[in-house]
């Protein structure tokens, strides 16, 4: 019944789906409190109080508008978002530079639909969010993978080598899933320098698409680079899924600066793609909710506390990993580089991780610390026993 393409791709994201199913299976057998699901990036921090209050207020109104609107979204909401960005980044966006989307995934898909011709190449950096591959293949694009350096910053020489005349889009993700790494201003400047040079060499625009669902989950003082400041052909896809714990509401936005080459037609094409893909427009109610809560965010201390206990336990037990500076993931090197054995031993201790192979980077596993703090407290003994199983040396 299903298409050949979908049949071929049923295994994509298999590692994440398998981890989810394994957690459900174990919880049914051993009880929720005895299983430590560190696999899924499903935010558990409480929704900010103002979001709940605004939602109640809107739902209490008798004449709440549920009708279609312009595919870009409500003008008054887009104006509030533009004003917020202008103040934060000292820029000059207007409502036409903002398009409300069905989360980051919806935003990325409509941009790719608007820009890609069959066979165009899209560069992604290993390790990467698994769904990128599917998003690109939706529009008959070709994925090109760039390797990281040891600190999971991009390998600039490899990037320069991988860009060809067919390169149309480069996707960056910072703070990064699955490593928690933040791309520095030096990284942003170097990537931009390479793209500018390649645009000149090949005589056509290359779009940098910045995927930013974790932009507001940062645990260091350093200010994140605003990619359009470094590279004019930048489109930013943002989501309120993590910053407001609204993952299931599918609400976010795109910024398409006027400086983007042929920006007027790019904006028109992205808006057209909204309708062609059946999104029509972003959810009406939650456009209004986020418009009223644009300066709100979840309590960052909730995740910072989780990060501290999980990273501290891992390092104390002898696991090899880089301290995450953003998002809510830690990427852990599998002992002896044996990812499958590590996952199997973890499952026996009721610890559920996602293998790095799902992110295009074997020999590692991803641990999420967006769960409740109590889960991580209970998981510490299991992590210590797992370290013993793997014969790690405690620090």
């Amino acid at each position: 019944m299903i298409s050949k393409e979908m049949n071929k791709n049923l295994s994509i994201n298999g590692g994440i789906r398998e981890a989810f199913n394994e957690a459900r299976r174990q919880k049914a057998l051993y009880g929720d409190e005895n299983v430590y699901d560190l696999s899924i990036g499903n935010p558990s921090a409480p929704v900010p109080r103002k979001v709940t209050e605004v939602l109640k207020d809107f739902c209490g109104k008798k004449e709440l508008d549920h009708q279609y609107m312009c595919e870009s979204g409500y003008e008054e909401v887009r104006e509030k978002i533009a004003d917020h960005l202008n103040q934060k980044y000292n820029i000059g966006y207007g409502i036409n530079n903002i398009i409300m989307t069905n989360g980051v995934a919806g935003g990325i898909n409509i941009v790719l639909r608007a820009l890609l011709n069959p066979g165009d190449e899209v560069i992604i950096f290993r390790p990467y969010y698994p769904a990128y591959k599917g998003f690109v293949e939706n529009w008959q694009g070709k994925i090109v993978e760039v390797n990281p350096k040891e600190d999971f910053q991009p390998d600039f020489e490899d990037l320069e080598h991988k860009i060809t005349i067919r390169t149309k889009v480069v996707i960056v993700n910072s703070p990064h899933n699955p490593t928690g790494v933040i791309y520095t201003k030096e990284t942003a400047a170097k990537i931009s320098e390479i793209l500018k040079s390649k645009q000149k060499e090949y005589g056509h625009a290359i779009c940098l698409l910045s995927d930013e669902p974790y932009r507001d989950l940062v645990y260091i003082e350093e200010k994140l680079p605003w990619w359009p400041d470094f590279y004019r052909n930048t489109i930013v896809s943002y989501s309120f899924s993590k910053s407001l714990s609204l993952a299931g509401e599918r609400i976010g936005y795109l910024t398409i600066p006027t400086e983007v080459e042929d920006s007027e037609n790019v904006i028109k094409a992205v808006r057209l793609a909204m309708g062609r893909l059946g999104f029509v427009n972003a959810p009406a109610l939650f456009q209004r909710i986020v418009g009223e809560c644009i300066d709100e965010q979840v309590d960052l201390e909730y995740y910072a506390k989780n990060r501290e206990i999980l990273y501290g336990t891992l390092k104390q037990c002898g696991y090899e990993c880089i301290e995450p500076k953003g998002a809510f993931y830690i990427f852990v090197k599998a002992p002896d580089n044996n990812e499958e054995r590590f996952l199997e031993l973890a499952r026996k201790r009721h610890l559920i991780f996602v293998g790095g192979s799902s992110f295009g980077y074997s020999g590692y596993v991803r641990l999420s610390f967006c769960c409740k703090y109590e889960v991580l407290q209970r998981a510490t003994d299991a992590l210590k026993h797992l370290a013993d199983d793997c014969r790690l040396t405690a620090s």
Side-chain angles (χ1 to χ4, degrees), residues 23-124:
R24 290 185 61 186
R25 185 188 73 83
Q26 289 207 17
K27 287 177 180 179
L29 289 172
Y30 308 111
D32 285 8
E33 69 280 4
N34 298 313
V35 178
Y36 320 109
D37 184 4
L38 309 184
S39 64
I40 307 300
N42 200 10
S44 64
V47 174
R49 181 178 296 178
K50 183 176 179 179
V51 174
T52 303
E53 291 173 351
V54 171
L55 178 59
K56 289 178 179 178
D57 181 54
F58 273 115
C59 290
K61 292 182 178 179
K62 294 182 180 178
E63 307 235 349
L64 188 61
D65 183 6
H66 297 286
Q67 295 181 324
Y68 293 125
M69 79 293 295
C70 166
E71 62 268 59
S72 292
Y74 288 120
E75 290 189 359
E76 61 270 28
V77 175
R78 290 153 55 209
E79 183 175 15
K80 289 176 181 177
I81 291 173
D83 289 345
H84 170 79
L85 294 173
N86 291 343
Q87 184 176 0
K88 188 172 183 178
Y89 297 109
N90 192 30
I91 48 182
Y93 291 171
I95 61 172
N96 289 333
N97 301 118
I98 308 297
I99 297 177
M100 303 304 296
T101 64
N102 299 67
V104 159
I108 292 175
N109 265 283
I110 59 177
V111 169
L112 295 177
R113 178 66 182 88
L115 297 185
L116 293 185
N117 295 305
D120 281 348
E121 295 173 353
V122 177
I123 286 179
I124 59 177

